[in-house]
Amino acid sequence: MTVDILAIDVETTGYSPKIDRIIQIGGVAVRIENDQFRLTGVLDLVVNPGMNVHVSREIEHLTGLSRERLNSGMPMYGAWDKLQEFLNIPTRSSDSERVELVGHNIQFDLRMIGAEATRLRRVTNIPGVVYCTMKSHKRPIKLADLCRQLEVPVVGGFHNAFNDAVSTMLCHRTTGLPWFAGKAPATFIGYDVSKWGIWSCVDTNPELVGMILRNRGLVTVESAF
């Protein structure tokens, strides 16, 4: 069975879809087929919410994203296109038999993404079955606590959208889902480094993968899955 699983996470200026904005989007996509699985795409974007959007010191401290860093981020209309490209990864092949979108408290992420879509007058394309790792337990649990409980490796800390997406995918795998059972990691397809100095989900130049992961201190991602 061929299964595509996409994990996503967003960091925001707050919890209200009406007034708060997305400031970072992270994602990791895995394809499982035959006896192996491979990483088919990643998304790691810092988003500029605009100068008129207030970003509290608490959010800056929590995410590590300073106002200066956000000012040099990608505008939301560009980030939206990258997000949609990431969500469309399974459609590049006609042999996908199942698609899952996973996140930790993913309903919040989807509400924030939906609010941004409304502002941009875009339509949100949500693929496949939506799965929430937080709701896989009887009570709400923080991602850090879930990782500790499942003994999955911590990748670069929490409250970073890409790191949290990777950790969510690891938790999703560890919960014993049949798609991962007995499957061994294969290889990366590759990534593209954009003019914004951040990398995102374009299947090009596999040689960049190791270099990018090493430079970001995330080389453990390559073997984590």
Side-chain angles (χ1 to χ4, degrees):
M1 186 173 189
T2 302
V3 182
D4 286 290
I5 304 177
L6 292 77
I8 61 169
D9 186 78
V10 300
E11 298 297 329
T12 64
T13 58
Y15 300 106
S16 171
K18 291 183 178 180
I19 62 174
D20 290 307
R21 305 297 298 273
I22 291 175
I23 55 176
Q24 190 179 31
I25 309 173
V28 56
V30 169
R31 164 160 279 210
I32 302 170
E33 55 187 344
N34 301 321
D35 294 326
Q36 292 186 319
F37 58 90
R38 59 192 171 107
L39 191 62
T40 53
V42 294
L43 188 65
D44 189 3
L45 300 174
V46 174
V47 180
N48 183 350
M51 292 300 296
N52 61 327
V53 176
H54 174 68
V55 182
S56 68
R57 293 289 180 88
E58 180 184 2
I59 293 297
E60 288 187 10
H61 178 74
L62 185 68
T63 64
L65 296 172
S66 65
R67 182 75 246 192
E68 182 180 10
R69 176 89 187 278
L70 294 176
N71 289 345
S72 62
M74 184 179 287
M76 190 62 219
Y77 61 83
W80 178 264
D81 291 339
K82 289 293 186 181
L83 172 62
Q84 200 58 66
E85 183 180 356
F86 175 79
L87 294 175
N88 287 340
I89 285 176
T91 66
R92 297 179 189 177
S93 301
S94 60
D95 58 345
S96 183
E97 299 173 70
R98 180 180 174 89
V99 179
E100 294 183 357
L101 184 66
V102 59
H104 197 75
N105 193 16
I106 193 170
Q107 286 75 21
F108 169 76
D109 299 287
L110 294 180
R111 281 197 298 271
M112 296 302 296
I113 289 170
E116 295 288 5
T118 298
R119 294 185 187 99
L120 294 170
R121 298 182 180 180
R122 306 278 183 94
V123 177
T124 310
N125 177 28
I126 302 300
V129 178
V130 176
Y131 185 91
C132 179
T133 53
M134 188 175 76
K135 288 190 175 180
S136 65
H137 287 65
K138 293 180 179 179
R139 60 180 180 81
I141 184 172
K142 293 181 179 179
L143 182 58
D145 294 334
L146 182 60
C147 288
R148 187 161 45 249
Q149 185 179 109
L150 297 177
E151 298 182 347
V152 303
V154 175
V155 180
F158 298 97
H159 300 294
N160 170 284
F162 176 70
N163 296 347
D164 286 355
V166 172
S167 296
T168 297
M169 182 70 83
L170 290 170
C171 290
H172 193 54
R173 181 191 182 195
T174 308
T175 51
L177 294 175
W179 322 125
F180 278 117
K183 305 298 189 295
T187 59
F188 287 90
I189 287 182
Y191 310 95
D192 173 58
V193 179
S194 77
K195 65 180 181 179
W196 301 92
I198 45 188
W199 49 300
S200 58
C201 59
V202 180
D203 294 345
T204 60
N205 197 354
E207 288 73 24
L208 283 172
V209 175
M211 177 189 71
I212 293 170
L213 293 176
R214 284 192 295 273
N215 289 345
R216 290 177 59 91
L218 292 172
V219 71
T220 52
V221 176
E222 189 167 4
S223 58
F225 297 109

